Amino acid sequence: MRKGKVIAALVIAGLNVTASANETYKFDPSGSTIGFSVHQFVGTTHGKFTKFNGKIDVDREHLENSSVTVQIDVRSIDTRIKKRDDHLRGPEFFNVEKFPQMTFKSRSVKRTGPQSGDIIGDFTMHGVTKPITLHVKLLTPMNETTRTRWSVMTDPITRRDFNLMFSPAAETVSGISQTVAINIEIEARRAE
């Protein structure tokens, strides 16, 4: 009798797991961009990170249970000028030997429109973790389940908040803005 109750409980638990199973999507770097821009004097420098991975777990029935995790290889910074990229990787700025990755891990997901939402999470860069909100917009149809494409916006990041400062003398002469605009577009494919 006791064994029958245990089996019944396991079957019910199994049904519940199946009913709330997530869809998992993995970032496709070939169709994605994690970029940034920063003003310097009268111009703007654009850059991107070319090596990253991420995972989106979607619970379509309860979107608030969805989650996102991202890892970015800081060494992969590309501003199209090798000398500048090497300097940014060095100990005076990103210090990639000590801080090789940036990460984002979501804490909450909230729908804000039919195909948009806010993802609040912890962003870690240069050994500093701060909460940020990603404003996301779904670019693929809602019923698409083999791939997903998102446009992502966030408030500008302040370099000082993450201790990404050159020496005081270099900061004075560089004319580099404290705020960095982020532009992200993610394509992800359904994991098998």
Side-chain angles (χ1 to χ4, degrees):
M1 185 77 165
R2 192 177 285 169
K3 185 177 179 183
K5 286 183 180 177
V6 169
I7 291 172
L10 288 173
V11 168
I12 290 169
L15 290 174
N16 287 339
V17 168
T18 303
S20 64
N22 288 349
E23 297 170 17
T24 299
Y25 295 83
K26 297 208 172 173
F27 285 19
D28 178 358
S30 69
S32 303
T33 302
I34 296 180
F36 61 89
S37 59
V38 61
H39 292 291
Q40 182 176 11
F41 293 117
V42 294
T44 300
T45 296
H46 298 275
K48 63 184 176 180
F49 294 92
T50 59
K51 293 183 182 173
F52 51 87
N53 64 71
K55 183 174 79 160
I56 305 167
D57 284 315
V58 179
D59 183 334
R60 289 184 187 263
E61 291 185 20
H62 304 283
L63 283 178
E64 68 278 5
N65 294 333
S66 300
S67 66
V68 177
T69 56
V70 183
Q71 298 84 35
I72 301 167
D73 180 350
V74 182
R75 282 182 179 87
S76 73
I77 191 167
D78 180 7
T79 64
R80 296 183 300 223
I81 298 176
K82 184 182 183 316
K83 188 174 180 181
R84 176 171 54 203
D85 294 342
D86 289 342
H87 182 239
L88 290 171
R89 291 182 191 107
E92 189 180 26
F93 203 71
F94 276 117
N95 194 358
V96 297
E97 294 304 318
K98 188 173 181 183
F99 307 109
Q101 280 196 334
M102 288 183 227
T103 61
F104 175 80
K105 183 172 177 161
S106 65
R107 284 192 270 135
S108 68
V109 175
K110 179 178 138 187
R111 177 178 253 164
T112 58
Q115 293 204 201
S116 62
D118 284 346
I119 303 171
I120 299 170
D122 294 319
F123 177 62
T124 301
M125 177 169 61
H126 201 247
V128 178
T129 301
K130 299 270 184 191
I132 63 169
T133 301
L134 304 178
H135 308 288
V136 299
K137 182 176 180 186
L138 180 64
L139 303 176
T140 47
M142 287 288 285
N143 60 357
E144 172 68 64
T145 59
T146 59
R147 69 181 187 96
T148 184
R149 188 166 190 78
W150 297 85
S151 169
V152 183
M153 301 287 293
T154 186
D155 291 334
I157 290 174
T158 303
R159 292 190 298 117
R160 185 181 296 111
D161 290 348
F162 292 91
N163 298 322
L164 287 174
M165 303 285 293
F166 296 111
S167 66
E171 283 289 333
T172 304
V173 246
S174 71
I176 299 171
S177 172
Q178 274 295 314
T179 58
V180 179
I182 308 300
N183 52 64
I184 300 172
E185 198 161 301
I186 296 297
E187 180 161 333
R189 301 199 176 273
R190 182 86 177 258
E192 298 296 327

